[in-house]
Amino acid sequence: MSDVSQSVSLSSIADYIKLTNNCDQQTALIEAKEVMNNLVTMRQKGFITGWYFDEDGHLELLPSDSTLKHITPNK
């Protein structure tokens, strides 16, 4: 995996929303704030440890170890 940032900024998320949803900057910023609040909440609850944009420009979540135990099939 190339350079990964677990601290994608609010403005980067707004730019992504603006690009993918073809909306204005103000709408994108409002939606980005909601996304960021949800990401922080998921991190505080222990579901994820962070987030980043992958090499294709998609916002990806880094699941916590406890979450991985629930979503990974038993071997």
Side-chain angles (χ1 to χ4, degrees):
M1 188 180 299
S2 59
D3 297 320
V4 172
S5 171
Q6 293 184 32
S7 58
V8 174
S9 69
L10 183 65
S11 63
S12 293
I13 293 173
D15 290 342
Y16 175 78
I17 291 171
K18 185 178 176 184
L19 178 69
T20 58
N21 293 319
N22 195 28
C23 61
D24 61 57
Q25 186 66 32
Q26 183 177 3
T27 300
L29 189 55
I30 290 168
E31 291 186 21
K33 286 178 182 177
E34 184 175 342
V35 169
M36 184 66 80
N37 286 337
N38 290 334
L39 292 171
V40 170
T41 298
M42 287 191 296
R43 185 176 57 196
Q44 289 171 339
K45 290 182 177 184
F47 299 136
I48 63 172
T49 59
W51 51 89
Y52 64 96
F53 281 111
D54 68 12
E55 49 278 337
D56 294 321
H58 300 115
L59 186 62
E60 295 288 335
L61 305 180
L62 296 169
S64 66
D65 289 341
S66 62
T67 298
L68 282 174
K69 288 178 186 175
H70 291 290
I71 61 175
T72 304
N74 292 332
K75 294 182 179 183

